[in-house]
């Protein structure tokens, strides 16, 4: 099997933050208080609710995933200190994203300081931001990222709400490598994404040479359908029809998605799909991410037979 790269995952030691005035807090047995509701945030065997690199590496080794990109989200709290440690300990397995404190001033300065700490990319959960992406301070931040050679991992609001703003950023920073998250949120509640012109408009941002799309959480978007997620495959194929499979990258959204499925299942539905060619699978599951994120040394992982086989 070709070497696999996961372009969208999360790590944290503990969730302890708020969003829109509501708490997000780790409990035990993988559960969290999430915006006023108790949810199963992690698999229940993570009894201490610590989502660590070591547990993820065990999952990666078992699933034969050579490397992963760790992004950040406001709902987990800023994890820069822990992720700096992860990057230092496991430089060949992880590329980690820093994240600015958007409530604090001098975003460009924050980016410089995070780059000095070894972060190679920055995460921007733009769908949760109130400030426009093309505000002067945000543009200055994006310019700083471009100058430093960092990549941008960004999740936009559903549909086309932030597309025009993103076009301005792409024009302003043509050398800034941009990964759009969550397959551009390909699950409109009433309309299949391939019939939704707003979704298609966001996907078409990847026609720019510096813009890629990663599919983190696509199994969550189609959780009600469940494995083997035929509509997720359809959405990936539709996006490829718009921008080419060479612009798309697999992402798992680990660990949240593995409360419902195993880590291997987050890509196995692609491996076993008859709707994609072998070359499309190679590009999607690793080769595109290797090019975009600049992975150099990818380890070989043997298949370990299950006891039940």
């Amino acid at each position: 099997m070709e070497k696999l790269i996961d372009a969208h995952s999360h790590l944290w030691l503990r969730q302890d933050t708020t969003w829109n005035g509501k708490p997000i807090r780790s409990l035990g047995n993988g559960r969290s208080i999430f915006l006023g509701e108790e949810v199963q945030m992690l698999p229940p065997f993570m009894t201490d609710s610590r989502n660590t690199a070591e547990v993820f590496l065990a999952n990666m080794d078992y699933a034969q995933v050579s490397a992963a990109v760790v992004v950040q989200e406001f709902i987990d709290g800023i994890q820069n200190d822990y992720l700096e440690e992860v990057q230092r300990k496991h430089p060949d397995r992880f590329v980690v994203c820093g994240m600015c404190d958007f409530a604090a001033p001098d975003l460009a300065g924050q980016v410089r300081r995070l780059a000095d700490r070894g972060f190679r990319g920055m995460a921007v959960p733009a769908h949760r931001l109130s400030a426009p992406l093309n505000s002067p301070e945000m543009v200055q931040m994006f310019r700083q990222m471009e100058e430093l050679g960092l990549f941008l991992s960004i999740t936009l609001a559903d549909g086309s709400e932030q597309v025009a703003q993103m076009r301005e950023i792409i024009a302003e920073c043509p050398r800034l490598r941009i990964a759009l998250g969550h397959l551009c949120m390909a699950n409109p509640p009433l309309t299949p994404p391939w019939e939704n012109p707003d979704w298609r408009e966001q996907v078409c941002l990847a026609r720019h040479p510096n813009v890629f799309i990663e599919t983190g959480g696509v199994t969550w978007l189609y959780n009600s359908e469940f494995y083997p997620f035929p509509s997720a495959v359809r959405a990936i194929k539709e996006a490829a029809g718009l921008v080419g499979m060479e612009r798309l990258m697999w992402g798992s959204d680990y660990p949240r998605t593995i409360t419902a499925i195993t880590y291997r299942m987050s890509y196995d539905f692609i491996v076993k799909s008859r709707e994609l060619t072998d070359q499309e699978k190679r590009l999607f599951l690793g080769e595109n991410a290797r090019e975009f994120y600049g992975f150099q040394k990818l380890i070989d992982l043997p298949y370990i037979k299950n006891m039940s086989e």
Side-chain angles (χ1 to χ4, degrees), residues 103-134:
D106 190 19
L107 295 177
Q110 290 187 56
V111 165
R112 286 194 299 274
R113 291 187 289 274
L114 288 167
D116 288 343
R117 292 170 62 179
F119 290 97
R120 291 161 53 186
M122 295 293 144
V124 177
H127 61 312
R128 302 191 192 276
L129 287 176
S130 55
L133 297 176
N134 55 355

Side-chain angles (χ1 to χ4, degrees), residues 251-266:
S252 71
D253 208 8
Y254 175 99
R256 284 182 261 271
T257 47
I258 65 166
T259 58
I261 60 175
T262 67
Y263 184 49
R264 183 184 290 273
M265 288 169 71
S266 68

Side-chain angles (χ1 to χ4, degrees), residues 22-57:
K22 295 184 178 181
I24 302 160
R25 188 175 70 254
S26 296
L27 297 175
N29 297 336
R31 297 180 182 178
S32 293
I33 295 296
F34 181 68
L35 306 180
E37 179 184 13
E38 185 172 335
V39 301
Q40 194 72 46
M41 184 70 68
L42 302 170
F45 57 76
M46 294 184 182
T47 55
D48 60 3
S49 292
R50 287 163 57 92
N51 173 31
T52 65
E54 287 70 29
V55 173
F56 189 21
L57 283 168

Side-chain angles (χ1 to χ4, degrees), residues 9 14 20 53 57 63 126 145 150 180 188 216 223 239 266 284:
S9 65
R14 185 170 180 82
N20 284 343
L57 283 168
M145 292 171 58
L150 306 178
L180 303 176
N223 181 62
S266 68
F284 180 69

Side-chain angles (χ1 to χ4, degrees), residues 38 53 56 97 192 248 252 293 299:
E38 185 172 335
F56 189 21
C97 293
L248 303 181
S252 71
Y293 297 104
I299 67 169

Side-chain angles (χ1 to χ4, degrees), residues 123-252:
V124 177
H127 61 312
R128 302 191 192 276
L129 287 176
S130 55
L133 297 176
N134 55 355
S135 68
E137 188 174 21
M138 292 288 285
V139 171
Q140 188 178 9
M141 179 190 72
F142 292 129
R143 285 175 179 161
Q144 182 67 87
M145 292 171 58
E146 181 185 39
E147 182 179 326
L148 293 170
L150 306 178
F151 67 84
L152 167 64
S153 173
I154 187 167
T155 297
L156 300 181
D158 292 10
S160 61
E161 179 182 340
Q162 293 175 314
V163 168
Q165 298 173 25
M166 200 69 231
R167 286 200 193 100
E168 289 189 36
I169 300 306
I170 294 168
E172 187 70 32
C173 305
R175 294 178 291 107
L176 175 62
R177 290 173 293 142
I178 300 169
L180 303 176
H182 296 300
L183 192 57
C184 303
M185 297 302 284
N187 68 330
L190 299 177
T191 307
W194 45 88
E195 297 177 9
N196 187 315
D198 291 338
W199 177 76
R200 296 167 67 89
E201 186 178 357
Q202 187 176 147
V203 168
C204 285
L205 289 171
R207 290 177 175 174
H208 294 274
N210 57 322
V211 181
F212 282 54
I213 296 171
E214 45 91 344
T215 65
V218 72
T219 60
W220 159 63
L221 298 178
Y222 292 99
N223 181 62
S224 61
E225 185 179 78
F226 205 66
Y227 187 92
F229 308 106
S231 294
V233 175
R234 172 78 184 274
I236 290 166
K237 284 181 61 67
E238 293 289 339
L242 293 170
V243 300
M245 188 61 78
E246 65 275 9
R247 318 303 293 178
L248 303 181
M249 305 179 291
W250 164 65
S252 71

